[in-house]
Amino acid sequence: MIKNILKSALNNFQAFLVTWVVIIIVNQLFIFGACFAPYCLLAALPHTFVIAVLLNYFLNAEESNKQLNSSKIDSNSDFKYTQADNHIEDNEFEETEIPFCPKCGSKMALRTAKNGAHAGNKFWGCSKYPKCKGLLNI
C-alpha cells in the first residue's frame, strides 16, 4: 500500500509538488501563526509531506483505477467466450457455508481423505495447512 502511494506521488510529481507547497503555506499561516522562519519551515516538512502524498494518492486514485481497468481489458482481448456444453440445473448444488478453523480462525477448505480408514470421505481442513492442522468432520 505504501509502495503504491509513493508511486502515485512520483507519477504525478508536478501535482504532488504543488499540493505540498500549498499545504506548507496553509500550515504555516494557520497552525504556526504565520511563521516562515527556516526552523518553522523545517519543522513543517515531515507532516506536510505525508499529507500531500496522501492527498495526491486519493485525488488521483480514480484516474489510476481507470488506467488499470483499461489495461486489463486490452490485455485480455485475446480471450474468447464460449458457452458450456452441459446444462446444470439449479437444484444440483447444495448451498454450503464455509466454516472457520477452530484453531486459527482461517477459512476451511473442503477436502477428501486419500488414505486411512476414512479414505474417500469428505472433511473440512484448514486453508493454512500445514501450518495449522485444524479439522472438522462432516
Side-chain angles (χ1 to χ4, degrees):
M1 177 80 178
I2 293 174
K3 192 175 183 180
N4 292 340
I5 292 173
L6 292 176
K7 277 185 182 178
S8 173
L10 288 175
N11 291 342
N12 304 303
F13 187 71
Q14 186 175 8
F16 161 72
L17 208 54
V18 170
T19 306
W20 194 15
V21 169
V22 169
I23 290 173
I24 288 176
I25 292 170
V26 169
N27 181 65
Q28 294 308 108
L29 287 174
F30 294 106
I31 295 177
F32 283 102
C35 178
F36 287 96
Y39 61 88
C40 289
L41 290 173
L42 283 174
L45 289 180
H47 67 272
T48 56
F49 174 80
V50 171
I51 294 169
V53 167
L54 291 174
L55 267 175
N56 184 45
Y57 176 74
F58 288 114
L59 291 176
N60 293 316
E62 185 177 314
E63 180 182 316
S64 63
N65 285 341
K66 286 180 185 176
Q67 290 174 351
L68 283 174
N69 289 339
S70 65
S71 67
K72 285 180 184 177
I73 291 170
D74 293 342
S75 66
N76 293 334
S77 61
D78 297 337
F79 290 108
K80 294 184 177 153
Y81 298 100
T82 58
Q83 192 169 2
D85 293 336
N86 54 355
H87 182 68
I88 300 172
E89 296 292 327
D90 287 337
N91 58 2
E92 291 182 21
F93 294 101
E94 61 181 67
E95 290 189 25
T96 306
E97 188 173 317
I98 299 174
F100 293 96
C101 179
K103 288 188 176 183
C104 71
S106 299
K107 285 188 176 183
M108 304 287 279
L110 188 60
R111 303 180 191 270
T112 305
K114 295 179 183 172
N115 300 326
H118 300 287
N121 293 341
K122 298 209 179 265
F123 67 96
W124 289 103
C126 184
S127 60
K128 299 215 177 197
Y129 179 84
K131 290 182 181 178
C132 176
K133 295 183 169 118
L135 296 173
L136 289 175
N137 291 325
I138 295 180

